[in-house]
């Protein structure tokens, strides 16, 4: 293993988070099985005290997942010069078979963590905590995902050795070869652009309907999920070309580099914000009929829709600005 500050921080931070989350499983199961707010028993009082501790642990762990995602990207990108052939994080992640699975697991964990935080914030606004069992059931789903992500990250980072020959991003993100990336790049440019513009428009329209009229939350959630995926596709297929001003450079990781203003960081943060708030809006729709949440959820949905609209608008502004200012014309 290479002893780099970023690697040590990731291993220690993720390991500690996994331990804390695993420790919260036992009280979570107890809360799911025995919670009864109408009871004044000693056990119920003990469970109520445990909810404060577990919730505090969850907020800490879930909040840090987003930090660790971007620390992971920054760390693996910084490691590229140590591997023969690597120019950015694309090459570093291919050093062994755990790099890209760890990245996908981290993104999934961040999405689930964001949804949990939304449920927790909504539940705390009602006097009878109607979502307490729901959010702790979600905890039981998140825990194995986070443990798997921690294990994949550890296997990747602990398996890194300097001077390993790997692939540069020009090879990883190139057309042909039957890979997932090749499939993305084989889509006609006009079709990629049309799909991206359509998904952006639909997401903005659906988000506005939720914000102004409180309707269409499920459609907005679906549109946000599709736009999240299509935006990643667009970044690889054509947006990155305008940033690099090269018609063959499709790498989404070089966007993190200083020579391109580190534009990748705000772009990915905005996309993650859009996905979490959009999906969260749809998730809350299921509980609108709960008596104590009838006024809470519409307000939460409007707030989430507004955040998603702002994130989407900022993302589109950055993208269109980069394309307009580029000297490349496709």
């Amino acid at each position: 293993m290479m002893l780099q500050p970023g690697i040590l921080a990731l291993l220690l931070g993720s390991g500690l988070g996994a331990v804390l989350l695993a420790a919260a499983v036992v009280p979570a199961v107890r809360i799911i099985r025995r919670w009864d707010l109408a009871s004044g028993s000693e056990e119920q009082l003990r469970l109520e005290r445990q909810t404060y501790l577990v919730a505090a642990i969850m907020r800490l762990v879930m909040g840090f997942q987003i930090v660790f995602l971007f620390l992971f990207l920054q760390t693996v990108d910084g490691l590229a010069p140590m591997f023969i052939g690597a120019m950015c994080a694309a090459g570093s992640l291919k050093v062994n078979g755990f790099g890209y699975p760890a990245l996908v697991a981290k993104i999934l964990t961040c999405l689930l963590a964001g949804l949990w935080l939304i449920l927790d914030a909504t539940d705390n606004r009602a006097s009878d905590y109607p979502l307490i069992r729901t959010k702790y059931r979600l905890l039981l789903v998140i825990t194995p995902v986070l443990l798997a992500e921690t294990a994949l990250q550890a296997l990747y980072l602990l398996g890194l050795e300097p001077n390993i020959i790997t692939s540069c991003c020009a090879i990883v993100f190139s057309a042909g070869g039957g890979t997932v990336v090749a499939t993305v790049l084989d889509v006609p440019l006009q079709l990629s652009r049309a799909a991206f513009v359509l998904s952006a428009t639909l997401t903005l329209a659906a988000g506005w309907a939720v914000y102004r009229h409180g309707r269409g939350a499920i459609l907005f959630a679906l549109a946000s999920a599709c736009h999240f995926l299509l935006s990643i596709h667009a970044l690889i297929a054509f947006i990155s070309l305008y940033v690099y001003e090269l018609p063959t450079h499709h790498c989404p990781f070089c966007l993190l580099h200083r020579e391109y203003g580190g534009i990748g960081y705000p772009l990915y943060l905005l996309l993650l914000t859009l996905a979490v708030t959009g999906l969260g809006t749809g998730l809350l729709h299921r509980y609108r009929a709960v008596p104590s949440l009838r006024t809470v959820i519409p307000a939460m949905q409007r707030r989430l829709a507004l955040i998603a609209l702002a994130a989407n608008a900022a993302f589109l502004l950055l993208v269109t600005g980069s394309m307009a200012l580029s000297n490349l014309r496709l």
Side-chain angles (χ1 to χ4, degrees):
M1 183 189 78
M2 293 183 291
L3 295 178
Q4 298 287 333
I7 292 178
L8 294 176
L10 285 167
L11 290 173
L12 292 174
S14 296
L16 179 59
V19 170
L20 288 173
L21 199 61
V25 167
V26 174
V29 171
R30 193 178 296 120
I31 290 167
I32 292 170
R33 294 178 57 191
R34 302 178 182 177
W35 180 266
D36 182 8
L37 194 61
S39 172
S41 66
E42 182 178 345
E43 182 183 33
Q44 176 62 22
L45 293 175
R46 184 168 59 252
L47 290 177
E48 289 177 14
R49 287 195 294 269
Q50 287 179 343
T51 60
Y52 292 110
L53 176 61
V54 173
I57 291 173
M58 288 293 292
R59 292 186 200 109
L60 179 66
V61 173
M62 301 304 185
F64 270 106
Q65 289 311 303
I66 298 174
V67 177
F68 288 148
L69 171 61
F70 287 93
L71 177 60
F72 181 77
L73 287 172
Q74 184 183 52
T75 299
V76 297
D77 189 62
L79 292 174
M82 299 184 180
F83 306 115
I84 299 172
M87 301 297 291
C88 64
S92 300
L93 290 169
K94 279 189 68 67
V95 168
N96 59 48
F98 301 105
Y100 281 99
L103 177 59
V104 173
K106 279 188 168 294
I107 295 171
L108 177 59
T109 305
C110 282
L111 293 174
L112 291 173
L115 293 177
W116 192 92
L117 291 173
I118 289 171
L119 279 179
D120 181 57
T122 305
D123 189 46
N124 290 336
R125 282 169 168 76
S127 59
D128 58 345
Y129 303 105
L131 302 181
I132 195 160
R133 284 189 171 88
T134 301
K135 68 183 184 184
Y136 285 121
R137 288 190 186 103
L138 181 57
L139 183 149
L140 299 183
V141 174
I142 294 174
T143 300
V145 176
L146 188 140
L147 292 176
E149 177 252 298
T150 303
L152 286 170
Q153 177 185 261
L155 289 169
Y156 168 67
L157 294 175
L158 294 174
L160 292 177
E161 296 294 340
N163 300 321
I164 292 177
I165 299 176
T166 185
S167 302
C168 71
C169 55
I171 296 175
V172 175
F173 294 93
S174 61
T179 63
V180 174
V181 174
T183 302
V184 169
L185 297 178
D186 286 340
V187 177
L189 180 61
Q190 293 80 1
L191 182 59
S192 296
R193 283 176 169 171
F196 174 69
V197 171
L198 180 62
S199 71
T201 305
L202 179 60
T203 305
L204 288 170
W208 184 253
V210 174
Y211 176 66
R212 290 293 297 172
H213 309 292
R215 295 195 301 267
I218 300 299
L219 175 62
F220 180 51
L222 293 173
S224 297
C226 290
H227 187 49
F228 176 73
L229 296 175
L230 288 171
S231 293
I232 294 174
H233 174 279
L235 282 168
I236 297 172
F238 64 90
I239 294 172
S240 57
L241 305 182
Y242 288 95
V243 177
Y244 306 135
E245 299 185 349
L246 289 172
T248 58
H249 195 181
H250 295 274
C251 179
F253 297 107
C254 287
L255 294 173
L256 305 174
H257 290 178
R258 186 176 299 175
E259 57 263 37
Y260 305 112
I263 193 174
Y265 288 108
L267 286 177
Y268 297 140
L269 181 59
L270 290 168
L271 277 182
L272 193 62
T273 301
L274 167 64
V276 169
T277 51
L279 290 171
T281 303
L283 178 63
L284 292 182
H285 186 76
R286 181 178 179 181
Y287 308 103
R288 284 176 68 103
V290 176
S292 59
L293 294 177
R294 284 177 180 167
T295 58
V296 173
I297 285 185
M300 282 292 294
Q301 287 180 316
R302 285 187 171 88
R303 187 174 302 139
L304 291 171
L306 181 60
I307 294 172
L309 285 169
N312 195 10
F315 175 78
L316 294 173
L317 183 63
L318 276 175
V319 166
T320 53
S322 299
M323 295 173 68
L325 295 174
S326 175
N327 293 315
L328 179 68
R329 293 293 178 265
L330 294 177

